[in-house]
Amino acid sequence: MSSFDSYSSPLSSRYASKEMSALFSPRTRYSTWRKLWLTLAIAEKQLDLSAITDEAIEQLRAHVEITDDEIRAASEQEKIVRHDVMSHVHVYGVAAPAAAGIIHLGATSCYVTDNADLIFLRDACDILIKRLVNVIQKLSEFAVQYKDMPVLGWTHFQPAQLTTVGKRATLWLQELLWDLRNISRARDDILLRGVKGTTGTQASFLTLFNGDHDKVEDLDQLVVELLGFKGAYPVTGQTYSRKIDIDVLGPLASLGATAHKMATDLRLLANLKEVEEPFESTQIGSSAMAYKRNPMRCERVCSLSRHLTGLFQDTVQTASVQWFERTLDDSAIRRVSLPSAFLTADIILSTLLNITSGMVVYPKVIERRIMSELPFMATENIIMAMVQKGGDRQVCHEHIRVLSHQAAKVVKEEGGDNDLIERIKKEPYFEPVWAELDTLLDPSTFVGRAPQQTEKFVKVNVAQALAPYKHLIVAEKVELSV
């Protein structure tokens, strides 16, 4: 039986980065468990627990990276004892016989499983933050490049006042900045479960240290420091509160909403032929229609964003039904939800980074669409110019109304171009402003402060948000997975 004869998640086998896939791999998980057992033994020895020898520590350290054969051996052992943690205790003890009797001393399974999960959540956030920082950087460069280019705005997906291509990008950027803030906050709030015992009372460790409460507290703090965390949760049951999972996956779900909105806008713009995602020279858009350039990247973002926002509900439901100090009905679902959420967010950001590294703008299409609608939008400017020339506002309004309806009929019923300006140029009443019509129809005069808003937003808001993360910015374009 080959690997092609069993299901594998496309999150890891098809889309996700090697970095994120490796973080949630069996090797990383079980090696992290071993690191936690090593750390516990080191801390206990430093607090004068005589049962732990230097030889035991050295053997544990020498075998902290689990091998393929050991993973398979633990799997076989689990079939016998029906307990994953104890299976790995056994296999680790075989590799480090001098430590076999003190591995997991005083601990409960959640010492390794929960602390490892918290390490993974923290490290996974770091991967996402790096991806997100680079998406923001690329999109901000795009915004500045096109800050002055007028484009037809849309409200209700109906033509509205002009904006600029760059200003529209700042609407996406602002939400991405909030996502960066939220994920960073969640990451920095993650603490360790620490060394708390079977129901969180530390009773086993109190026994181990002959009733010395100070040493139990020192043990908890020492493990935290050795593992590079700023602290441990002060109280826990057998597990850390599953509300922490809500706090971490909530910002990921919010990122999913941001990504879905941005990708949807780009899909609509692709239909309008104004802005497109990258399209490789050898890429096939459709198996049947050879001319098609389907926005498959943005469609992938939308698809996986829906999955990501749905995973958040797993954390809410799980946290709400934990009985007293814990129940085991959180275990299976968290094995699925937590890795899936981070793998999915990783794929979304990698795809957005590819998109923002190569978006294509079509100025002529944008200009043509503007000019098809601008005559209607310019009518107020024409009225004001006529009044300045001595005209009556109400009389001018009526002339404009009649000509506008005639032009609209040509567009809607006859399929022709908007000829309102030509009609105005032929109407003697408007002769006083004929020479000014080109100026009155300059699209750049209809965008308000969009260029200035864009430039200030990037120079101030984006720059301030990215300042702590400048070391994470990379120049190269990210290639898209299949």
Side-chain angles (χ1 to χ4, degrees):
M1 183 176 179
S2 77
S3 60
F4 299 113
D5 293 314
S6 60
Y7 175 80
S8 64
S9 171
L11 292 178
S12 56
S13 66
R14 184 175 177 88
Y15 299 130
S17 68
K18 293 180 180 178
E19 190 178 12
M20 190 66 82
S21 293
L23 178 61
F24 288 100
S25 69
R27 189 182 313 283
T28 300
R29 177 169 298 278
Y30 301 138
S31 294
T32 303
W33 287 6
R34 290 187 171 193
K35 181 180 179 181
L36 284 158
W37 280 316
L38 170 62
T39 301
L40 179 60
I42 291 172
E44 289 174 337
K45 187 176 190 309
Q46 287 187 21
L47 292 170
D48 303 321
L49 205 59
S50 59
I52 301 175
T53 64
D54 289 337
E55 184 183 12
I57 297 293
E58 289 311 309
Q59 288 187 8
L60 289 174
R61 183 178 283 112
H63 296 280
V64 75
E65 182 76 16
I66 196 168
T67 66
D68 290 0
D69 287 341
E70 288 172 332
I71 292 175
R72 284 189 282 267
S75 179
E76 291 302 313
Q77 182 69 15
E78 187 176 353
K79 293 177 182 178
I80 299 170
V81 300
R82 310 302 297 178
H83 197 287
D84 56 350
V85 172
M86 288 306 298
S87 300
H88 280 271
V89 169
H90 172 79
V91 172
Y92 200 11
V94 171
I102 57 90
I103 297 173
H104 201 66
L105 185 60
T108 187
S109 296
C110 289
Y111 166 71
V112 289
T113 58
D114 270 32
N115 282 319
D117 282 345
L118 290 162
I119 291 170
F120 301 149
L121 293 181
R122 179 197 62 182
D123 294 352
C125 282
D126 286 340
I127 295 172
L128 294 187
I129 287 168
K130 180 179 179 180
R131 301 259 190 277
L132 182 50
V133 162
N134 282 279
V135 171
I136 291 170
Q137 176 65 24
K138 290 296 184 183
L139 189 56
S140 65
E141 292 170 4
F142 176 87
V144 171
Q145 181 180 354
Y146 292 101
K147 66 182 176 66
D148 296 313
M149 182 179 287
V151 68
L152 187 64
W154 302 91
T155 59
H156 315 274
F157 204 24
Q158 299 297 315
Q161 193 176 66
L162 300 190
T163 181
T164 68
V165 173
K167 170 61 192 301
R168 177 176 285 147
T170 65
L171 301 181
W172 305 328
L173 267 171
Q174 181 167 247
E175 295 190 2
L176 289 169
L177 291 185
W178 294 336
D179 293 320
L180 177 61
R181 175 201 64 193
N182 294 342
I183 295 172
S184 296
R185 282 178 180 173
R187 186 262 183 224
D188 291 342
D189 283 346
I190 296 171
L191 303 178
L192 273 183
R193 175 189 176 274
V195 182
K196 297 296 196 294
T198 55
T199 58
T201 65
Q202 299 178 307
S204 57
F205 295 103
L206 192 61
T207 300
L208 203 58
F209 289 103
N210 300 313
D212 190 330
H213 290 268
D214 290 337
K215 280 198 172 182
V216 174
E217 290 191 5
D218 289 345
L219 178 68
D220 204 13
Q221 182 60 30
L222 188 52
V223 167
V224 167
E225 291 173 0
L226 289 171
L227 291 168
F229 276 74
K230 64 182 180 182
Y233 297 109
V235 293
T236 73
Q238 187 174 92
T239 68
Y240 71 79
S241 170
R242 297 313 184 211
K243 196 170 176 64
I244 302 303
D245 296 343
I246 297 176
D247 292 346
V248 176
L249 263 65
L252 302 193
S254 184
L255 169 66
T258 299
H260 201 303
K261 198 273 185 190
M262 176 181 171
T264 299
D265 284 353
L266 286 169
R267 290 166 67 188
L268 294 172
L269 289 170
N271 175 265
L272 297 171
K273 296 180 174 60
E274 293 186 357
V275 182
E276 286 183 343
E277 64 180 39
F279 194 92
E280 278 91 15
S281 60
T282 58
Q283 184 175 330
I284 296 174
S286 168
S287 62
M289 295 165 279
Y291 61 87
K292 293 196 75 178
R293 292 168 63 99
N294 297 333
M296 51 82 70
R297 292 165 173 80
C298 288
E299 289 172 328
R300 178 181 298 180
V301 169
C302 289
S303 178
L304 292 175
S305 293
R306 291 198 296 272
H307 177 59
L308 179 57
T309 56
L311 286 170
F312 175 62
Q313 288 302 314
D314 285 355
T315 65
V316 175
Q317 296 295 330
T318 298
S320 67
V321 298
Q322 288 302 287
W323 300 351
F324 305 114
E325 281 64 47
R326 79 87 54 104
T327 63
L328 198 61
D329 65 347
D330 65 333
S331 179
I333 194 170
R334 293 177 69 255
R335 290 175 189 247
V336 175
S337 299
L338 298 185
S340 293
F342 278 99
L343 287 165
T344 303
D346 176 60
I347 299 161
I348 289 169
L349 287 173
S350 295
T351 308
L352 284 179
L353 185 53
N354 177 269
I355 291 169
T356 53
S357 296
M359 286 194 295
V360 183
V361 177
Y362 296 102
K364 293 298 183 182
V365 177
I366 291 173
E367 182 182 2
R368 185 168 67 248
R369 182 161 285 109
I370 288 174
M371 298 314 297
S372 70
E373 299 290 344
L374 194 60
F376 295 134
M377 298 178 187
T379 54
E380 184 63 23
N381 288 2
I382 294 172
I383 291 173
M384 297 305 294
M386 283 293 295
V387 170
Q388 289 177 342
K389 298 290 186 180
D392 183 294
R393 193 264 178 199
Q394 311 309 330
V395 173
C396 184
H397 183 279
E398 179 59 19
H399 278 284
I400 287 283
R401 185 190 68 81
V402 171
L403 295 180
S404 295
H405 286 189
Q406 292 171 355
K409 181 179 180 181
V410 170
V411 173
K412 294 180 178 180
E413 296 183 15
E414 300 175 18
D417 294 331
N418 188 333
D419 62 357
L420 176 58
I421 299 305
E422 284 70 25
R423 291 176 185 273
I424 290 174
K425 287 180 178 180
K426 293 177 182 178
E427 172 59 60
Y429 175 79
F430 290 102
E431 185 175 358
V433 297
W434 281 352
E436 300 176 29
L437 286 177
D438 288 343
T439 301
L440 293 173
L441 285 167
D442 181 357
S444 66
T445 65
F446 288 81
V447 300
R449 298 191 63 253
Q452 293 76 19
Q453 286 180 344
T454 302
E455 186 170 22
K456 182 178 180 181
F457 181 77
V458 172
K459 284 186 175 181
V460 177
N461 300 85
V462 174
Q464 288 177 351
L466 293 189
Y469 307 103
K470 281 191 173 181
H471 62 289
L472 298 178
I473 296 174
V474 295
E476 66 267 18
K477 178 181 175 181
V478 172
E479 296 301 323
L480 190 68
S481 61
V482 295

